[in-house]
PDB file of all heavy atoms in Angstrom:
ATOM      1  N   LYS A 180      -2.754 -23.548   4.678  1.00  0.00           N
ATOM      2  CA  LYS A 180      -2.663 -23.611   6.133  1.00  0.00           C
ATOM      3  C   LYS A 180      -2.194 -22.264   6.683  1.00  0.00           C
ATOM      4  O   LYS A 180      -2.713 -21.758   7.668  1.00  0.00           O
ATOM      5  CB  LYS A 180      -1.647 -24.706   6.480  1.00  0.00           C
ATOM      6  CG  LYS A 180      -1.607 -25.067   7.923  1.00  0.00           C
ATOM      7  CD  LYS A 180      -0.735 -26.279   8.117  1.00  0.00           C
ATOM      8  CE  LYS A 180      -0.661 -26.629   9.581  1.00  0.00           C
ATOM      9  NZ  LYS A 180       0.391 -27.590   9.820  1.00  0.00           N
ATOM     10  N   ARG A 181      -1.203 -21.721   5.990  1.00  0.00           N
ATOM     11  CA  ARG A 181      -0.563 -20.525   6.544  1.00  0.00           C
ATOM     12  C   ARG A 181       0.122 -19.748   5.421  1.00  0.00           C
ATOM     13  O   ARG A 181       0.599 -20.348   4.447  1.00  0.00           O
ATOM     14  CB  ARG A 181       0.507 -21.020   7.521  1.00  0.00           C
ATOM     15  CG  ARG A 181       1.191 -19.978   8.316  1.00  0.00           C
ATOM     16  CD  ARG A 181       2.162 -20.630   9.306  1.00  0.00           C
ATOM     17  NE  ARG A 181       3.302 -21.216   8.664  1.00  0.00           N
ATOM     18  CZ  ARG A 181       3.720 -22.453   8.842  1.00  0.00           C
ATOM     19  NH1 ARG A 181       3.087 -23.274   9.650  1.00  0.00           N
ATOM     20  NH2 ARG A 181       4.784 -22.894   8.217  1.00  0.00           N
ATOM     21  N   ILE A 182       0.169 -18.430   5.568  1.00  0.00           N
ATOM     22  CA  ILE A 182       1.038 -17.679   4.668  1.00  0.00           C
ATOM     23  C   ILE A 182       2.066 -16.927   5.495  1.00  0.00           C
ATOM     24  O   ILE A 182       1.814 -16.587   6.660  1.00  0.00           O
ATOM     25  CB  ILE A 182       0.260 -16.702   3.750  1.00  0.00           C
ATOM     26  CG1 ILE A 182      -0.456 -15.633   4.555  1.00  0.00           C
ATOM     27  CG2 ILE A 182      -0.693 -17.435   2.841  1.00  0.00           C
ATOM     28  CD1 ILE A 182      -1.110 -14.608   3.682  1.00  0.00           C
ATOM     29  N   VAL A 233      -0.291  -7.562   7.286  1.00  0.00           N
ATOM     30  CA  VAL A 233      -0.942  -8.724   7.901  1.00  0.00           C
ATOM     31  C   VAL A 233      -2.459  -8.550   7.781  1.00  0.00           C
ATOM     32  O   VAL A 233      -3.182  -9.475   7.388  1.00  0.00           O
ATOM     33  CB  VAL A 233      -0.504  -8.885   9.382  1.00  0.00           C
ATOM     34  CG1 VAL A 233      -1.359  -9.924  10.089  1.00  0.00           C
ATOM     35  CG2 VAL A 233       0.973  -9.245   9.478  1.00  0.00           C
ATOM     36  N   ILE A 234      -2.938  -7.340   8.082  1.00  0.00           N
ATOM     37  CA  ILE A 234      -4.379  -7.057   7.987  1.00  0.00           C
ATOM     38  C   ILE A 234      -4.839  -7.210   6.531  1.00  0.00           C
ATOM     39  O   ILE A 234      -5.873  -7.832   6.238  1.00  0.00           O
ATOM     40  CB  ILE A 234      -4.684  -5.635   8.527  1.00  0.00           C
ATOM     41  CG1 ILE A 234      -4.287  -5.546  10.007  1.00  0.00           C
ATOM     42  CG2 ILE A 234      -6.155  -5.265   8.322  1.00  0.00           C
ATOM     43  CD1 ILE A 234      -4.404  -4.168  10.628  1.00  0.00           C
ATOM     44  N   ALA A 236      -3.484  -9.043   4.252  1.00  0.00           N
ATOM     45  CA  ALA A 236      -3.446 -10.465   3.858  1.00  0.00           C
ATOM     46  C   ALA A 236      -4.702 -11.189   4.328  1.00  0.00           C
ATOM     47  O   ALA A 236      -5.279 -11.994   3.597  1.00  0.00           O
ATOM     48  CB  ALA A 236      -2.196 -11.129   4.429  1.00  0.00           C
ATOM     49  N   CYS A 237      -5.140 -10.885   5.557  1.00  0.00           N
ATOM     50  CA  CYS A 237      -6.350 -11.538   6.079  1.00  0.00           C
ATOM     51  C   CYS A 237      -7.551 -11.174   5.203  1.00  0.00           C
ATOM     52  O   CYS A 237      -8.385 -12.025   4.904  1.00  0.00           O
ATOM     53  CB  CYS A 237      -6.614 -11.103   7.520  1.00  0.00           C
ATOM     54  SG  CYS A 237      -5.398 -11.765   8.658  1.00  0.00           S
ATOM     55  N   LEU A 238      -7.617  -9.899   4.793  1.00  0.00           N
ATOM     56  CA  LEU A 238      -8.756  -9.451   3.986  1.00  0.00           C
ATOM     57  C   LEU A 238      -8.693 -10.012   2.561  1.00  0.00           C
ATOM     58  O   LEU A 238      -9.672 -10.530   2.047  1.00  0.00           O
ATOM     59  CB  LEU A 238      -8.790  -7.923   3.945  1.00  0.00           C
ATOM     60  CG  LEU A 238      -9.174  -7.241   5.257  1.00  0.00           C
ATOM     61  CD1 LEU A 238      -8.761  -5.771   5.249  1.00  0.00           C
ATOM     62  CD2 LEU A 238     -10.684  -7.350   5.498  1.00  0.00           C
ATOM     63  N   GLY A 241      -8.860 -14.027   2.868  1.00  0.00           N
ATOM     64  CA  GLY A 241      -9.897 -14.579   3.732  1.00  0.00           C
ATOM     65  C   GLY A 241      -9.330 -15.469   4.824  1.00  0.00           C
ATOM     66  O   GLY A 241      -9.894 -16.530   5.116  1.00  0.00           O
ATOM     67  N   LEU A 242      -8.225 -15.057   5.442  1.00  0.00           N
ATOM     68  CA  LEU A 242      -7.577 -15.896   6.459  1.00  0.00           C
ATOM     69  C   LEU A 242      -7.783 -15.330   7.858  1.00  0.00           C
ATOM     70  O   LEU A 242      -8.109 -14.159   8.039  1.00  0.00           O
ATOM     71  CB  LEU A 242      -6.070 -15.989   6.182  1.00  0.00           C
ATOM     72  CG  LEU A 242      -5.662 -16.547   4.805  1.00  0.00           C
ATOM     73  CD1 LEU A 242      -4.155 -16.473   4.635  1.00  0.00           C
ATOM     74  CD2 LEU A 242      -6.142 -17.990   4.621  1.00  0.00           C
ATOM     75  N   LYS A 243      -7.544 -16.195   8.856  1.00  0.00           N
ATOM     76  CA  LYS A 243      -7.622 -15.734  10.246  1.00  0.00           C
ATOM     77  C   LYS A 243      -6.243 -15.172  10.635  1.00  0.00           C
ATOM     78  O   LYS A 243      -5.225 -15.610  10.081  1.00  0.00           O
ATOM     79  CB  LYS A 243      -7.949 -16.914  11.157  1.00  0.00           C
ATOM     80  CG  LYS A 243      -9.305 -17.514  10.852  1.00  0.00           C
ATOM     81  CD  LYS A 243      -9.763 -18.397  12.014  1.00  0.00           C
ATOM     82  CE  LYS A 243     -11.098 -19.027  11.702  1.00  0.00           C
ATOM     83  NZ  LYS A 243     -10.979 -20.150  10.753  1.00  0.00           N
ATOM     84  N   PRO A 244      -6.222 -14.253  11.620  1.00  0.00           N
ATOM     85  CA  PRO A 244      -4.940 -13.637  11.984  1.00  0.00           C
ATOM     86  C   PRO A 244      -3.827 -14.651  12.297  1.00  0.00           C
ATOM     87  O   PRO A 244      -2.679 -14.444  11.925  1.00  0.00           O
ATOM     88  CB  PRO A 244      -5.278 -12.827  13.239  1.00  0.00           C
ATOM     89  CG  PRO A 244      -6.733 -12.556  13.125  1.00  0.00           C
ATOM     90  CD  PRO A 244      -7.350 -13.675  12.367  1.00  0.00           C
ATOM     91  N   ASP A 245      -4.183 -15.769  12.947  1.00  0.00           N
ATOM     92  CA  ASP A 245      -3.097 -16.705  13.304  1.00  0.00           C
ATOM     93  C   ASP A 245      -2.640 -17.563  12.116  1.00  0.00           C
ATOM     94  O   ASP A 245      -1.755 -18.397  12.257  1.00  0.00           O
ATOM     95  CB  ASP A 245      -3.464 -17.561  14.530  1.00  0.00           C
ATOM     96  CG  ASP A 245      -4.751 -18.328  14.294  1.00  0.00           C
ATOM     97  OD1 ASP A 245      -5.216 -18.337  13.146  1.00  0.00           O
ATOM     98  OD2 ASP A 245      -5.278 -18.922  15.266  1.00  0.00           O
ATOM     99  N   GLN A 246      -3.228 -17.332  10.946  1.00  0.00           N
ATOM    100  CA  GLN A 246      -2.737 -18.023   9.740  1.00  0.00           C
ATOM    101  C   GLN A 246      -1.704 -17.174   8.990  1.00  0.00           C
ATOM    102  O   GLN A 246      -1.216 -17.584   7.946  1.00  0.00           O
ATOM    103  CB  GLN A 246      -3.900 -18.337   8.795  1.00  0.00           C
ATOM    104  CG  GLN A 246      -4.796 -19.459   9.279  1.00  0.00           C
ATOM    105  CD  GLN A 246      -5.933 -19.673   8.294  1.00  0.00           C
ATOM    106  OE1 GLN A 246      -6.840 -18.860   8.192  1.00  0.00           O
ATOM    107  NE2 GLN A 246      -5.870 -20.761   7.562  1.00  0.00           N
ATOM    108  N   VAL A 247      -1.427 -15.981   9.519  1.00  0.00           N
ATOM    109  CA  VAL A 247      -0.469 -15.101   8.833  1.00  0.00           C
ATOM    110  C   VAL A 247       0.752 -14.898   9.730  1.00  0.00           C
ATOM    111  O   VAL A 247       0.628 -14.462  10.874  1.00  0.00           O
ATOM    112  CB  VAL A 247      -1.113 -13.728   8.508  1.00  0.00           C
ATOM    113  CG1 VAL A 247      -0.145 -12.852   7.728  1.00  0.00           C
ATOM    114  CG2 VAL A 247      -2.405 -13.918   7.706  1.00  0.00           C
ATOM    115  N   LYS A 248       1.916 -15.261   9.201  1.00  0.00           N
ATOM    116  CA  LYS A 248       3.162 -15.126   9.967  1.00  0.00           C
ATOM    117  C   LYS A 248       4.071 -14.095   9.304  1.00  0.00           C
ATOM    118  O   LYS A 248       3.961 -13.854   8.104  1.00  0.00           O
ATOM    119  CB  LYS A 248       3.921 -16.472  10.008  1.00  0.00           C
ATOM    120  CG  LYS A 248       3.114 -17.613  10.574  1.00  0.00           C
ATOM    121  CD  LYS A 248       2.971 -17.506  12.077  1.00  0.00           C
ATOM    122  CE  LYS A 248       2.029 -18.570  12.592  1.00  0.00           C
ATOM    123  NZ  LYS A 248       1.237 -18.177  13.734  1.00  0.00           N
ATOM    124  N   VAL A 249       4.976 -13.562  10.116  1.00  0.00           N
ATOM    125  CA  VAL A 249       5.967 -12.614   9.590  1.00  0.00           C
ATOM    126  C   VAL A 249       7.356 -13.166   9.867  1.00  0.00           C
ATOM    127  O   VAL A 249       7.630 -13.663  10.963  1.00  0.00           O
ATOM    128  CB  VAL A 249       5.794 -11.222  10.261  1.00  0.00           C
ATOM    129  CG1 VAL A 249       6.898 -10.274   9.828  1.00  0.00           C
ATOM    130  CG2 VAL A 249       4.423 -10.628   9.919  1.00  0.00           C
ATOM    131  N   ALA A 322      -0.700  -3.924  15.466  1.00  0.00           N
ATOM    132  CA  ALA A 322      -1.545  -4.271  14.307  1.00  0.00           C
ATOM    133  C   ALA A 322      -2.259  -5.598  14.559  1.00  0.00           C
ATOM    134  O   ALA A 322      -3.449  -5.732  14.278  1.00  0.00           O
ATOM    135  CB  ALA A 322      -0.695  -4.342  13.046  1.00  0.00           C
ATOM    136  N   PHE A 323      -1.543  -6.570  15.121  1.00  0.00           N
ATOM    137  CA  PHE A 323      -2.197  -7.850  15.457  1.00  0.00           C
ATOM    138  C   PHE A 323      -3.287  -7.616  16.496  1.00  0.00           C
ATOM    139  O   PHE A 323      -4.353  -8.212  16.445  1.00  0.00           O
ATOM    140  CB  PHE A 323      -1.167  -8.860  15.988  1.00  0.00           C
ATOM    141  CG  PHE A 323      -0.550  -9.706  14.897  1.00  0.00           C
ATOM    142  CD1 PHE A 323       0.749  -9.496  14.473  1.00  0.00           C
ATOM    143  CD2 PHE A 323      -1.283 -10.719  14.283  1.00  0.00           C
ATOM    144  CE1 PHE A 323       1.310 -10.268  13.459  1.00  0.00           C
ATOM    145  CE2 PHE A 323      -0.737 -11.502  13.270  1.00  0.00           C
ATOM    146  CZ  PHE A 323       0.574 -11.273  12.856  1.00  0.00           C
ATOM    147  N   LYS A 324      -2.987  -6.725  17.431  1.00  0.00           N
ATOM    148  CA  LYS A 324      -3.978  -6.422  18.471  1.00  0.00           C
ATOM    149  C   LYS A 324      -5.250  -5.837  17.844  1.00  0.00           C
ATOM    150  O   LYS A 324      -6.368  -6.275  18.156  1.00  0.00           O
ATOM    151  CB  LYS A 324      -3.359  -5.419  19.466  1.00  0.00           C
ATOM    152  CG  LYS A 324      -4.220  -5.071  20.659  1.00  0.00           C
ATOM    153  CD  LYS A 324      -3.488  -4.001  21.491  1.00  0.00           C
ATOM    154  CE  LYS A 324      -4.411  -3.320  22.456  1.00  0.00           C
ATOM    155  NZ  LYS A 324      -4.650  -4.058  23.671  1.00  0.00           N
ATOM    156  N   ALA A 325      -5.061  -4.872  16.935  1.00  0.00           N
ATOM    157  CA  ALA A 325      -6.218  -4.233  16.285  1.00  0.00           C
ATOM    158  C   ALA A 325      -7.018  -5.266  15.484  1.00  0.00           C
ATOM    159  O   ALA A 325      -8.251  -5.251  15.494  1.00  0.00           O
ATOM    160  CB  ALA A 325      -5.755  -3.102  15.372  1.00  0.00           C
ATOM    161  N   LEU A 326      -6.297  -6.154  14.839  1.00  0.00           N
ATOM    162  CA  LEU A 326      -6.959  -7.193  14.036  1.00  0.00           C
ATOM    163  C   LEU A 326      -7.817  -8.083  14.930  1.00  0.00           C
ATOM    164  O   LEU A 326      -8.945  -8.433  14.591  1.00  0.00           O
ATOM    165  CB  LEU A 326      -5.854  -8.006  13.345  1.00  0.00           C
ATOM    166  CG  LEU A 326      -6.202  -8.917  12.191  1.00  0.00           C
ATOM    167  CD1 LEU A 326      -6.997  -8.191  11.126  1.00  0.00           C
ATOM    168  CD2 LEU A 326      -4.920  -9.477  11.575  1.00  0.00           C
ATOM    169  N   LYS A 327      -7.263  -8.412  16.087  1.00  0.00           N
ATOM    170  CA  LYS A 327      -8.019  -9.278  16.997  1.00  0.00           C
ATOM    171  C   LYS A 327      -9.157  -8.523  17.688  1.00  0.00           C
ATOM    172  O   LYS A 327     -10.193  -9.107  17.998  1.00  0.00           O
ATOM    173  CB  LYS A 327      -7.070  -9.927  18.012  1.00  0.00           C
ATOM    174  CG  LYS A 327      -6.253 -11.007  17.314  1.00  0.00           C
ATOM    175  CD  LYS A 327      -5.256 -11.702  18.183  1.00  0.00           C
ATOM    176  CE  LYS A 327      -4.420 -12.629  17.319  1.00  0.00           C
ATOM    177  NZ  LYS A 327      -3.095 -12.897  17.848  1.00  0.00           N
ATOM    178  N   MET A 328      -8.969  -7.214  17.918  1.00  0.00           N
ATOM    179  CA  MET A 328     -10.050  -6.414  18.513  1.00  0.00           C
ATOM    180  C   MET A 328     -11.248  -6.361  17.561  1.00  0.00           C
ATOM    181  O   MET A 328     -12.392  -6.280  17.979  1.00  0.00           O
ATOM    182  CB  MET A 328      -9.577  -4.965  18.765  1.00  0.00           C
ATOM    183  CG  MET A 328      -8.712  -4.798  20.002  1.00  0.00           C
ATOM    184  SD  MET A 328      -7.901  -3.178  19.989  1.00  0.00           S
ATOM    185  CE  MET A 328      -9.254  -2.086  20.375  1.00  0.00           C
ATOM    186  N   GLY A 329     -10.973  -6.392  16.275  1.00  0.00           N
ATOM    187  CA  GLY A 329     -12.042  -6.408  15.266  1.00  0.00           C
ATOM    188  C   GLY A 329     -12.748  -5.070  15.140  1.00  0.00           C
ATOM    189  O   GLY A 329     -12.206  -4.023  15.491  1.00  0.00           O
TER     190      GLY A 329
END
Side-chain angles (χ1 to χ4, degrees):
K180 190 172 179 193
R181 186 176 70 232
I182 63 175
V233 170
I234 298 174
C237 290
L238 290 162
L242 302 175
K243 297 196 181 76
D245 57 10
Q246 287 179 288
V247 183
K248 303 286 174 213
V249 174
F323 270 106
K324 184 183 164 81
L326 195 52
K327 287 179 186 154
M328 282 167 74

